[in-house]
Structure formats: structure tokens, C-alpha cells
């Protein structure tokens, strides 16, 4: 599975950052397992309709590619649960 995470928005655009692409096979087993558990369509899809109101909000663009299929989600930071935000921070950390 390959996950790409990009951010946009924030006050004055300070929430905007370059996209980070991570091949889960390159991660330690415990992080890979957490990503496979947390970054599922069942958990991400319902979040796309929540918390997007207001100016200067940070939005995450998350793409997940697996088995020849890519799913894309645009999710407001305020809609993401803490465990997912922590995992995004881990995955998007500089190499």
C-alpha cells in the first residue's frame, strides 16, 4: 500500500506543505500495521463530510493506492480523530 498525504489551507497558507508519499513496506512493522488498521475506507470516507466550515482551516488530501486502485480523500483537520492525526504526523515526518 502506498499513502500520499498533502496539506492545504491554514492561516495565510501556512498549513500548506509538500506532498509526502510513503510505501508502507518501507516502514517498521508496528507502524505499517497501524496504518493498515487506521487508513481504511471505512474510517476515512465518513470524515470527508465533516468539519470543513470556516476560513483558514487545514485540509488533508490523502491518497491510498493498493492493488491497482487509488482512493482519494479530502478531510478537514478538525474532522480527524487524534489517533489518525498522530499517524499522519508519523507518516508525513521528514525522512
Amino acid at each position: 500500500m502506498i499513502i500520499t498525504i498533502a496539506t492545504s489551507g491554514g492561516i495565510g497558507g501556512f498549513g500548506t506543505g509538500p506532498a509526502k508519499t510513503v510505501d508502507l513496506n518501507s516502514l517498521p512493522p508496528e507502524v505499517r500495521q497501524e496504518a493498515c488498521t487506521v487508513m481504511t475506507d471505512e474510517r476515512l470516507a465518513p470524515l470527508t463530510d465533516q468539519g470543513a466550515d470556516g476560513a483558514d482551516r487545514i485540509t488533508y488530501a490523502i491518497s491510498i493506492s493498493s492493488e491497482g486502485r487509488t482512493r482519494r480523500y479530502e478531510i478537514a483537520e478538525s474532522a480527524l480523530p487524534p489517533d489518525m492525526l498522530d499517524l499522519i504526523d508519523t507518516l508525513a515526518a521528514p525522512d
Side-chain angles (χ1 to χ4, degrees):
M1 181 176 356
I2 306 232
I3 298 176
T4 301
I5 300 168
T7 57
S8 62
I11 296 173
F14 285 108
T16 301
K20 173 75 183 247
T21 299
V22 179
D23 182 343
L24 294 190
N25 291 324
S26 69
L27 299 174
E30 62 277 2
V31 177
R32 182 173 51 244
Q33 180 58 46
E34 181 182 6
C36 288
T37 301
V38 172
M39 297 297 201
T40 64
D41 189 58
E42 292 78 22
R43 290 207 54 203
L44 292 170
L47 301 176
T48 60
D49 296 330
Q50 299 179 23
D53 296 335
D56 300 326
R57 304 286 182 191
I58 293 176
T59 300
Y60 289 87
I62 302 170
S63 296
I64 300 174
S65 299
S66 179
E67 300 175 2
R69 179 178 161 210
T70 299
R71 297 171 313 275
R72 293 178 179 83
Y73 308 91
E74 297 278 335
I75 303 172
E77 181 179 47
S78 61
L80 291 165
D83 65 328
M84 205 172 283
L85 278 171
D86 289 345
L87 179 60
I88 288 170
D89 287 344
T90 299
L91 295 176
D95 294 327

